[in-house]
Amino acid sequence: MSNKKKQLSFFIYMIPLLLIEILFRVQNSQTYPSIVFVRSLLFVGFLTSILYLINTYLNTILARILTVLLFFFNSIYAFFQTGIHYYYGHFFSMRFLFEGTPDVGSYTVDFLKYLKFETYAFILIGLIAIAVYLYIKPEKATDTNPKYLLVSIMSPLLLYLAYIAMLFIGDAPNAFESSIKLYIKPYYTENAMNQLGMSSFISTDIIYSLTSDGSLEVKIPQEEIVDEPIEESEEEKPSTLDGRIQDDLEWIQARDAEQNDTIRSIDNYFLGKSYTERNDKTGVYKDKNFIYVLVEAFDMIAIHETLTPTLYKMQQEGTYFDHFYSPQFNCATAESELMSLSSLYPVIDTCTMSAYYDRTSPQTIFNLFKNKGYNTSSYHNWNDQFYPRSIIHPELGSDHYRDVKTLIPRLISGWQSDLTMMEGIVKELNAEEGKFMSYIITSSTHLPYDVSSSLGNRYVNKVLEVYPDAPLEIRTYLSKAVELDLAMQYLLENLSSMDNTVVAMYADHRPLKMKGAYLDKYSDINRLAMYELDRTPMIVYNPQQVPEKVSKVSSTIDMAPTFANLFDLEYDTRLFMGNDIFSNEENFVIFQSGSWYSQKGYFSTADARFYPFDEADSISSDEINRVNQIVKNKMSVSSLIYTHQYFNKRLFIQDKYKQLAP
């Protein structure tokens, strides 16, 4: 083969791979510092050398097949990763395909329709690369010189080693996770994709997904490891910890006898945590009924004095959390649901609700209320198509679960009416004897917002009276929000025990597929700032309470400990990953990427930078690293609890909290 043809064939392999890599960065708005570009260039060079090697020395047919497959897979992979990032807001790992994958087939057409036109450029590049490759037909080597063969073999090896070497340098001082650790264990998908490059992430993610046992590092300072149980008499025990200090003797003995390092690290993590003290909000709702409402795609724009007067009334007259966030994890609704019930973070890139619901903390909100003599129930106006809630909710502690089969007498086009569901729920709750705790999952405000549906069309004229120039998506969303409002009005006006009942409303996530510019235009705050699209309403309402606004940053993970405190339930504060919002504990809103909000600002894992709300009141580099470790511990321990079946190995904790529904 002539030198000219060698160079030509080399560039045939390299150019499309490099174009896809660069275009992937651009379309997904990833950071691309010089060090990351060098890493991507080296890995593309490695792949190019591999393709050159197999096309030069392997059987022609086999070489053709492997090369075409690589071009095709690389372009399709970039296409779907970019599409999902645009559609859901995050990348996915191959792990998502292995554990608890929900029914997403019904959204395939909607997904493809929603893609940006430029996303199809990946497929175009792949097809052109294949066509050019098959047309040129690179020649096989005729030179059998051993030195030339050795150079051909050593080139990819040296490029790969150079790539690995580059993973050890160039990380920012406050990087959430080092690049080399992400290469070995790409658990934090968003960070791994950003720091490793797309092509490299593919290979390491596949290997990790197929071979990893899910083990993650948990760093616990030695001084926080408990060796002896706390012993305090009732007289010595501070009043702020009354009823909160646990007898840890059995736990410590189990920890000391444990042979599995991962299980022991979880023991040390929990035993080393401080107890959350009681506060002036402890028990303010003690012995009242509780209705816990997860509102589909609940956004601030859904609260309007004219369009949704009941939601507005609850916001103005209840407790409104105006810095509350609903971070979106893999299975958006299901993960928020599980976090709000158990206060554990999901396993990243796994649909934890479906895959591991029977391994979650036994200290669920359902079980805590049951242990206080409450009747527990749960409701949803859809079926088990996406998540088998009829199995999951009883496992989590719901005495009975009702869905569309019993709550909706007649189906309508699109998602079902929250008002119709609420009529059935109120009828059941009015017949309850004794205290009750009910969990309600709404669906009226579910996407899509760009197509016709019964609820999306029902109140459009009413919306246009307020917003005559509103785009289709806003008109449809607000029309659906009116139906939600009517459901809440029906609840407040027809529940016989309403004066003795507390209602909490929160979002599973923001309205998906809704343009950020639309949410920004119809909101009172800047929704286009970092993660502000994920700021959502959280309302706690009782007719007898004093109106209150809470501005402490908080999120879905904090709900279970907050309500456990408000109702003065019996629980171990250490088993929650979130905090009681009314406590004096420092609080962080943690996103799937590992990025976080504090009271002072936002830390982005993408560029390892802290963005203070007030430049004059920022935090130090050491403080950033300290919080990063806290965040990693919370997410890692949560994941290990699920993947290593921790609570199934600590039955004395299960026995304390878990009572299976009949």
Side-chain angles (χ1 to χ4, degrees), residues 381-383 404-405 408-414 416 454:
N381 48 355
W382 198 242
N383 53 36
V404 67
K405 294 188 295 292
I408 307 296
R410 183 175 62 84
L411 296 180
I412 57 177
S413 68
Q416 301 305 297
S454 293

Side-chain angles (χ1 to χ4, degrees), residues 341-342 360-369 396-397 576 657:
L341 292 169
S342 68
T360 196
S361 170
Q363 190 175 263
T364 65
I365 280 293
F366 283 127
N367 287 330
L368 294 181
F369 275 97
L396 298 179
F576 289 136
Y657 296 105

Side-chain angles (χ1 to χ4, degrees), residues 240-257:
T240 56
L241 289 176
D242 279 348
R244 298 238 165 139
I245 293 179
Q246 308 284 317
D247 180 1
D248 291 332
L249 179 60
E250 186 174 9
W251 202 344
I252 292 172
Q253 291 174 339
R255 186 272 314 272
D256 292 344

Side-chain angles (χ1 to χ4, degrees), residues 73-86:
F73 179 79
N74 218 46
S75 60
I76 290 293
Y77 185 86
F79 170 80
F80 277 106
Q81 280 283 20
T82 301
I84 288 174
H85 191 259
Y86 181 47

Side-chain angles (χ1 to χ4, degrees), residues 17-29 32 82 118-123 125:
L17 294 177
L18 190 58
L19 275 176
I20 288 174
E21 187 78 19
I22 294 174
L23 185 62
F24 186 83
R25 289 271 176 184
V26 172
Q27 288 205 23
N28 291 287
S29 301
Y32 217 148
T82 301
E118 54 265 34
T119 307
Y120 289 89
F122 294 111
I123 295 178
I125 292 172

Side-chain angles (χ1 to χ4, degrees), residues 487-502:
M488 299 312 297
Q489 178 185 353
Y490 187 89
L491 172 67
L492 300 189
E493 293 178 353
N494 292 278
L495 184 67
S496 59
S497 59
M498 190 62 234
D499 284 347
N500 195 44
T501 299
V502 176

Side-chain angles (χ1 to χ4, degrees), residues 164-404:
I164 295 298
M166 293 300 290
L167 296 178
F168 285 93
I169 63 175
D171 287 336
N174 297 123
F176 183 75
E177 189 69 281
S178 70
S179 296
I180 190 63
K181 285 184 178 179
L182 288 171
Y183 184 75
I184 297 169
K185 288 187 175 182
Y187 178 72
Y188 300 101
T189 305
E190 203 84 12
N191 301 317
M193 189 76 80
N194 189 58
Q195 292 175 227
L196 304 179
M198 188 205 73
S199 299
S200 175
F201 175 79
I202 295 174
S203 57
T204 192
D205 179 52
I206 291 174
I207 294 170
Y208 179 67
S209 299
L210 293 174
T211 62
S212 174
D213 66 350
S215 295
L216 296 166
E217 184 179 51
V218 181
K219 288 186 178 180
I220 305 169
Q222 186 63 36
E223 60 270 20
E224 294 183 13
I225 297 178
V226 175
D227 294 320
E228 299 293 338
I230 297 174
E231 295 182 3
E232 292 185 83
S233 66
E234 289 298 319
E235 292 76 25
E236 296 172 332
K237 189 183 299 182
S239 60
T240 56
L241 289 176
D242 279 348
R244 298 238 165 139
I245 293 179
Q246 308 284 317
D247 180 1
D248 291 332
L249 179 60
E250 186 174 9
W251 202 344
I252 292 172
Q253 291 174 339
R255 186 272 314 272
D256 292 344
E258 182 59 57
Q259 299 298 308
N260 185 293
D261 290 341
T262 298
I263 300 300
R264 193 184 309 113
S265 70
I266 301 174
D267 288 331
N268 282 327
Y269 176 79
F270 282 132
L271 289 167
K273 288 180 69 177
S274 299
Y275 293 101
T276 301
E277 297 180 357
R278 300 165 72 88
N279 52 62
D280 57 2
K281 294 291 185 179
T282 302
V284 296
Y285 296 136
K286 188 172 183 178
D287 293 328
K288 290 186 182 295
N289 301 316
F290 184 37
I291 297 178
Y292 201 5
V293 187
L294 183 157
V295 180
E296 172 64 40
F298 194 24
D299 194 84
M300 289 176 280
I301 69 170
I303 302 175
H304 191 277
E305 187 173 6
T306 303
L307 290 174
T308 54
T310 303
L311 297 179
Y312 183 80
K313 168 188 170 71
M314 295 175 71
Q315 180 204 50
Q316 296 297 311
E317 299 179 8
T319 302
Y320 183 61
F321 299 78
D322 67 349
H323 279 72
F324 184 85
Y325 295 80
S326 296
Q328 186 181 333
F329 285 78
N330 314 288
C331 294
T333 299
E335 308 295 44
S336 292
E337 188 175 336
L338 194 59
M339 282 193 291
S340 71
L341 292 169
S342 68
S343 194
L344 291 181
Y345 288 98
V347 181
I348 292 178
D349 278 318
T350 298
C351 196
T352 309
M353 176 86 155
S354 298
Y356 299 126
Y357 64 88
D358 56 342
R359 302 181 186 182
T360 196
S361 170
Q363 190 175 263
T364 65
I365 280 293
F366 283 127
N367 287 330
L368 294 181
F369 275 97
K370 285 177 69 170
N371 289 342
K372 277 289 190 177
Y374 282 71
N375 299 317
T376 60
S377 57
S378 48
Y379 305 88
H380 182 38
N381 48 355
W382 198 242
N383 53 36
D384 282 0
Q385 177 185 0
F386 298 104
Y387 314 106
R389 290 188 176 94
S390 61
I391 299 172
I392 294 172
H393 276 241
E395 174 70 27
L396 298 179
S398 174
D399 286 328
H400 64 257
Y401 172 74
R402 304 281 191 264
D403 65 8
V404 67

